[in-house]
Amino acid sequence: MIDTSSVIQTSASASHIYDLLVIGGGVVGLACLRAATLQGWKCALVEARPDLLSQASGSNSGIVCTGVDAVPGSLERALIRDSVSQFRIYCQEHNIPTRPCGSLVCQWEWDIKNDVSNNDVSIPSSFLQNVLEESHNAGDTHATIMSRDEILMEEPNLSQKVIGAVHIPGEIVVDPWLYSVSLAIHAMENGADIYTNYPVDLDSLGFENGVWTLRRQTDDKSKNHHEWQLQAKAVVNAAGVWSDTVQTAAMPTTESPWTAKPRRGQYRIYESRPSTRITHPIQPIPTQRTKGIFVFSTIYNQLVVGPTAEDQCSRTDRTIDQTVAKILDDYIQGIIPSIQPEHDLVGEYVGIRPGTNQRDYQIHVSPDKHWIAVAGIRSTGLTASLGIGNYVMRQLPSFLGPAPEAPTNIHTTPLPNLKQLVRDFDTLNGFVILNGVKFRVTHPLSVHGLKSLAERTHKD
């Protein structure tokens, strides 16, 4: 991985042309990079910030869903299903810590007033029946409805006001940063290059004679432009919330099929105790607009509540809203009555999801420009990442020609186990070395989790 703030790889200049360049170092961009690299193409990725996974992918939930709230027949649901079919195997091969516990989509006594078709809490509500049907349609055919007694037997620390739930067994809790960074590691150990601190100069973005030129934006006018540029036969625009601005710069005469609509999600993190611990993510009944606020336990057994879902104009404002923080405290206390929010709080964060004015994923292929836009991935980027990578990889032959012969010996180095990670984690500066590469851990769930595990290890 090359940090261009301190290292300039002059060999990767005009004389070196990649098959594919990916713009954006989030989980989706890394999945595209990995998928194309494993097919034998020579690939690189550029990330504007000094660290990978610094934006939406560094502030998500870390829950692999099954697509129950995705629109039936949508590209989103199809790619989620493709990804989920590979996810457990991938995590096993790469030693990614997971908890394959399934989720509980719960209905509560305070929801009953909204379900006019059923005021009898002794039978499954129409809302739960709808969730069950959608779960089956989405491919999780083992989903079942659970009664209050069955729920409280599984999760005794939940409020007695739970009425019923749909258990969706295919959903998985994962460390979101470790999973995402493993995609970068796997791509790099099989030949990909990653350039961090490489904001693309959109004013000079150009396509000529079948080759894209991406120059690094810099205020240092003394540098030769060719020392700050990369070239490739094809580009994937995975710039997240900035994807529409990148798209407009690349295709100035064509109106972008989507417009960014940043959506803000706020979270709170708490230490758990025997009286507050849960196993399953607790979800509300989803709506067309949002999956709602979750309460879940991380891989490190810390409790999380969130995200909220508030549209905002700013693509960068991640300040904590104290009014929302109080709402989240009250919400989790309604779900887990024994929690003491002020005492148990260990952290909080805000993520900005790369929503658009369209409901479905916005993956657009421009064969004449050797360009693929991957936008509008919303909150399901981690879940669908393997499927998105596969989908993008299958589009490349339309302008790169047949894929090169895939490497016969794909290198896969599993991540160290959690005990080793805790020993290697620099708690002061937030760095860890994986496969010989120094990474900053950017996700609050991973940072707080590793710190908590380190403290518990020292006490033991």
Side-chain angles (χ1 to χ4, degrees), residues 77-402:
R77 179 171 282 188
L79 297 187
I80 286 174
R81 295 310 304 167
D82 181 32
S83 189
V84 167
S85 70
Q86 310 164 61
F87 202 91
R88 294 180 191 228
I89 295 173
Y90 177 90
C91 289
Q92 289 171 0
E93 290 177 345
H94 293 263
N95 200 31
I96 311 296
T98 64
R99 186 191 301 129
C101 53
S103 293
L104 295 177
V105 179
C106 294
Q107 187 171 35
W108 304 87
E109 289 182 7
W110 53 78
D111 295 325
I112 275 293
K113 64 179 181 296
N114 298 320
D115 187 2
V116 296
S117 67
N118 175 28
N119 288 317
D120 183 354
V121 300
S122 66
I123 62 175
S125 76
S126 60
F127 286 171
L128 291 182
Q129 293 284 12
N130 290 341
V131 172
L132 180 68
E133 183 178 338
E134 281 302 317
S135 297
H136 290 170
N137 291 341
D140 208 333
T141 56
H142 297 292
T144 57
I145 289 180
M146 297 176 65
S147 68
R148 170 185 283 166
D149 290 344
E150 290 172 324
I151 296 166
L152 294 176
M153 187 174 295
E154 291 277 341
E155 298 288 3
N157 292 329
L158 291 187
S159 167
Q160 298 285 323
K161 293 183 179 181
V162 67
I163 293 171
V166 175
H167 179 230
I168 306 178
E171 304 205 335
I172 304 168
V173 178
V174 66
D175 181 306
W177 186 83
L178 286 175
Y179 165 74
S180 302
V181 82
S182 75
L183 298 169
I185 292 169
H186 202 210
M188 285 190 292
E189 71 176 329
N190 286 283
D193 292 328
I194 293 178
Y195 298 81
T196 57
N197 201 31
Y198 198 107
V200 174
D201 182 358
L202 298 182
D203 291 335
S204 64
L205 187 63
F207 181 67
E208 186 175 359
N209 298 324
V211 174
W212 283 98
T213 299
L214 282 71
R215 293 193 174 96
R216 179 178 179 270
Q217 188 177 42
T218 177
D219 295 327
D220 189 349
K221 303 303 181 183
S222 66
K223 292 291 183 182
N224 184 319
H225 274 307
H226 293 293
E227 290 186 0
W228 298 84
Q229 74 177 24
L230 300 168
Q231 292 188 305
K233 301 172 187 175
V235 171
V236 169
N237 169 15
V241 75
W242 301 100
S243 60
D244 59 339
T245 61
V246 173
Q247 190 76 6
T248 299
M251 315 268 179
T253 61
T254 305
E255 184 178 357
S256 174
W258 74 92
T259 301
K261 289 187 67 176
R263 180 167 289 181
R264 169 191 181 87
Q266 188 164 321
Y267 298 79
R268 304 267 277 176
I269 310 169
Y270 315 83
E271 285 294 358
S272 65
R273 293 173 279 109
S275 62
T276 62
R277 199 159 293 152
I278 59 174
T279 299
H280 303 80
I282 307 301
Q283 305 179 23
I285 295 169
T287 67
Q288 283 297 310
R289 181 178 179 275
T290 175
K291 295 179 73 173
I293 296 174
F294 288 22
V295 174
F296 62 96
S297 176
T298 69
I299 288 297
Y300 307 96
N301 291 320
Q302 292 181 315
L303 293 170
V304 183
V305 60
T308 53
E310 305 162 87
D311 293 332
Q312 67 177 32
C313 295
S314 173
R315 305 182 194 219
T316 59
D317 182 7
R318 296 165 71 172
T319 56
I320 298 295
D321 185 321
Q322 293 304 325
T323 301
V324 172
K326 180 63 168 63
I327 291 171
L328 292 174
D329 282 346
D330 292 344
Y331 186 88
I332 193 171
Q333 199 160 35
I335 304 296
I336 305 175
S338 295
I339 196 168
Q340 301 173 31
E342 291 186 8
H343 177 269
D344 297 336
L345 183 71
V346 296
E348 55 190 336
Y349 63 100
V350 170
I352 301 177
R353 282 161 276 174
T356 71
N357 58 335
Q358 306 295 327
R359 181 73 173 88
D360 200 3
Y361 288 174
Q362 296 299 295
I363 302 183
H364 298 276
V365 182
S366 303
D368 58 325
K369 290 286 191 177
H370 299 192
W371 181 276
I372 303 176
V374 184
I377 307 303
R378 304 188 308 122
S379 60
T380 52
L382 185 149
T383 295
S385 55
L386 295 176
I388 294 170
N390 290 340
Y391 184 83
V392 168
M393 176 267 294
R394 291 194 296 268
Q395 313 308 312
L396 293 176
S398 66
F399 39 81
L400 288 180

Side-chain angles (χ1 to χ4, degrees), residues 389-457:
N390 290 340
Y391 184 83
V392 168
M393 176 267 294
R394 291 194 296 268
Q395 313 308 312
L396 293 176
S398 66
F399 39 81
L400 288 180
E405 186 175 340
T408 55
N409 185 23
I410 293 176
H411 302 286
T412 302
T413 303
L415 295 185
N417 59 38
L418 282 180
K419 287 184 178 180
Q420 183 64 47
L421 280 170
V422 167
R423 285 194 293 267
D424 294 344
F425 181 53
D426 179 347
T427 56
L428 183 62
N429 299 301
F431 287 103
V432 67
I433 295 176
L434 299 172
N435 206 22
V437 181
K438 185 178 181 180
F439 294 95
R440 185 188 297 277
V441 183
T442 54
H443 203 300
L445 295 184
S446 305
V447 171
H448 287 292
L450 287 169
K451 286 183 177 179
S452 176
L453 192 55
E455 291 171 1
R456 279 177 267 160
T457 300

